Amino acid sequence: MKKYLSFKEAIEKLISNLPPKWKVYRAKGIFNQVDVRSQTGEEQLLSVSEHRGVVPRNEMKITMFMAESYEGYKLCEVGDLVINSLWAWGRGIGISEYNGIVSTAYGVFRLKDKNLFSPKYLNYLLRTKDYVALYYMRSKGIWISRLQLQDKNFLDLPIICPPKDEQDEIVQYIKAQEEKINLFIQKKQRFIELLKEQRQRIINYSVTKGINPNAEMKDTGIEWLGEIPKHWQLRRLKNVAEVVLGKMLCNEDKGGYALKPYLKSKNIGWDKVIIEEVDEMWFSPKEMLTYRVKENDLLVSEGGEVGKTCIWKNELDECYIQNSVHKLTCFEDCLPEFYLFWMGMLGSVGYFRSIVNQVSIAHLTREKVVTVICLHPPLEEQKQIVAHIKTETATIDTAIAKAEREIELIREYKEAMIAEAVMGKRK
């Protein structure tokens, strides 16, 4: 997030060197704060997305924190500005294109003169990095997750106002550029998907058929697996690794406990550990021995997208697991990297989905994990297969990384282009 030395300096930077005829108003001069409540709660429920602005909540696929009734929620109309006061610093703001209701924790603001502003122009303007930086500066709270932008602090902010016809031209220009950029991103994303499919095919074939084209084969009797090299063994996961399900959440010191970082299902990705946000909880000395993650342990998601597997490479000096994660410590004749690829293969063919109960939330319990089917080539052959996969996929991985970087750069360009256009820095 762009930071300034002071709020005053940020304002001066924002409104300096505006084109002729462009004006600046205080938000309180152009918005009325409205607080009209739903009598039934049956209107469409809306929420504010960091990436999309105001959208129907059911499009955000959120299932938690759902109230039993929405009676008394705030009504909003098309063209209203909606602000999540606790998330304004994270771009929780936008102009609504829907009639509906929003949480009572949201602020709803309505234009006094709809002939003065284009709602689409305002939506672009108020979601730029410069304005988000202002919300951050004007929010109050003890720590970042509790920062709140009070209504009066928003209403005191300056709003850049070009002539209405220029606003419309700016919106049309941005839309035309966005169409090109979005098409570019879609093509790159499809290219990445194809590369990942090619990569997975190499992995799947290598871990199920081996890399010796002349190997004698045998039928496993398993429809989705088919034939495997004759000298390979068919095992259950309990005969490949020691399986430990993590500790239940503990939010208090029960005497002699220590506060330690732990991983949960959201920290487990395919092939990589996600450590941007790692929470802490309390562990006893005995629990620390049981649940500590060691180098080359495999970590498997018990909930969420079940079966996601990554390998621990000491990303943190010390870390433990919660009971939404399994820890697999491979036996001596089992190479962790080989079984990382094996678990990825199982995920790609839908094996994990087939063995969990999905009547409600899917859970890959320990009882199910230990029975997971595994192939076991000789250890030396496992090493050869891993080396082969790394060699064959290296070029693909480079191409994927390059395409992902191109998407990142074009998104940065898009954000800069919008900011320049709505603030008069681009003709």
Side-chain angles (χ1 to χ4, degrees), residues 150-265:
Q150 296 180 355
D151 295 336
K152 64 179 181 179
N153 289 335
F154 166 74
L155 291 169
D156 195 43
L157 295 179
I159 307 294
I160 296 172
C161 180
K164 181 63 164 53
D165 59 340
E166 288 192 47
Q167 293 179 40
D168 295 335
E169 290 176 8
I170 289 168
V171 168
Q172 291 305 313
Y173 169 78
I174 292 175
K175 282 186 173 181
Q177 296 300 310
E178 281 186 316
E179 287 181 5
K180 297 176 185 177
I181 291 170
N182 292 341
L183 181 60
F184 174 87
I185 291 173
Q186 288 172 11
K187 289 182 177 180
K188 285 293 177 183
Q189 288 174 333
R190 179 56 184 154
F191 177 59
I192 291 171
E193 287 176 6
L194 292 173
L195 287 174
K196 287 183 175 179
E197 288 173 6
Q198 181 183 353
R199 181 181 189 275
Q200 195 62 55
R201 282 195 295 271
I202 293 171
I203 293 171
N204 290 5
Y205 188 88
S206 299
V207 298
T208 57
K209 310 301 178 187
I211 57 176
N212 179 7
N214 300 316
E216 189 176 353
M217 308 296 281
K218 65 180 178 182
D219 188 12
T220 61
I222 301 172
E223 183 178 353
W224 57 268
L225 187 54
E227 292 187 333
I228 63 172
K230 188 175 182 179
H231 62 289
W232 288 17
Q233 297 176 11
L234 194 61
R235 294 185 177 183
R236 296 292 180 178
L237 189 57
K238 63 182 178 181
N239 300 123
V240 166
E242 179 186 2
V243 181
V244 174
L245 178 62
K247 169 184 167 66
M248 290 184 64
L249 191 62
C250 178
N251 293 319
E252 60 178 324
D253 180 2
K254 296 184 178 181
Y257 281 37
L259 193 61
K260 299 291 183 179
Y262 71 93
L263 303 173
K264 47 190 171 184
S265 59

Side-chain angles (χ1 to χ4, degrees), residues 279-290:
D279 296 328
E280 294 183 331
M281 71 169 165
W282 296 91
F283 290 85
S284 70
K286 183 178 178 181
E287 289 168 341
M288 284 189 277
L289 293 174
T290 303

